[in-house]
Amino acid sequence: MKLRELELSPFRLTLKTPLRTAHGEYRVRDGLLLTLHGDARVGSGEAMPLHGFGTESLAEAESALKAMSALVMGRELPASLDALEAFLAEAPALARAPTARHAIESWLLDLLAQARGVPLCRLLTETARDEVEVN
């Protein structure tokens, strides 16, 4: 499957309860939604940096994602997890932008799981739980 089109869409989430940290108080989170079209499939991922916590700014994440866009268009989707890791290693800008890398890796994993006809959790491990209890 060839990677055909990448869309970046900014979004903002208002937190129900402000996040208070030593860096200040956060009432909203800004991010970028990535949508990647590959032949008949669509994958998605998100970059949501929390500046001041060791990650890049939103502008830096956007810059890294745009640079990665030029690298991926028209290429074949990596066919295995190892090939996906090698694919990501080709983009040095992602080493300095962990939330951008997360977004790229998420949508590539999403597309790979779809191509194999399995849920993403099963792509990562055959022993994945169907449900995970939280809170």
Side-chain angles (χ1 to χ4, degrees), residues 5-103:
E5 179 186 355
L6 182 140
E7 296 173 35
L8 277 177
S9 305
F11 69 96
R12 173 173 273 189
L13 299 176
T14 301
L15 301 178
K16 183 177 178 180
T17 304
L19 171 63
R20 292 183 180 92
T21 73
H23 298 283
E25 184 175 276
Y26 296 88
R27 294 183 173 275
V28 297
R29 294 289 310 275
D30 292 309
L32 294 164
L33 178 64
L34 228 64
T35 306
L36 180 74
H37 301 267
D39 295 338
R41 294 186 175 81
V42 176
S44 62
E46 71 175 40
M48 205 163 196
L50 188 54
H51 197 60
F53 282 84
T55 66
E56 71 276 22
S57 69
L58 190 62
E60 290 167 327
E62 184 174 8
S63 177
L65 291 169
K66 286 179 178 178
M68 188 65 182
S69 175
L71 180 66
V72 301
M73 289 308 103
R75 292 189 51 187
E76 288 291 326
L77 175 69
S80 69
L81 294 178
D82 288 337
L84 190 142
E85 191 62 34
F87 185 85
L88 291 170
E90 293 179 35
L94 294 181
R96 297 179 304 279
T99 65
R101 179 189 165 97
H102 166 77

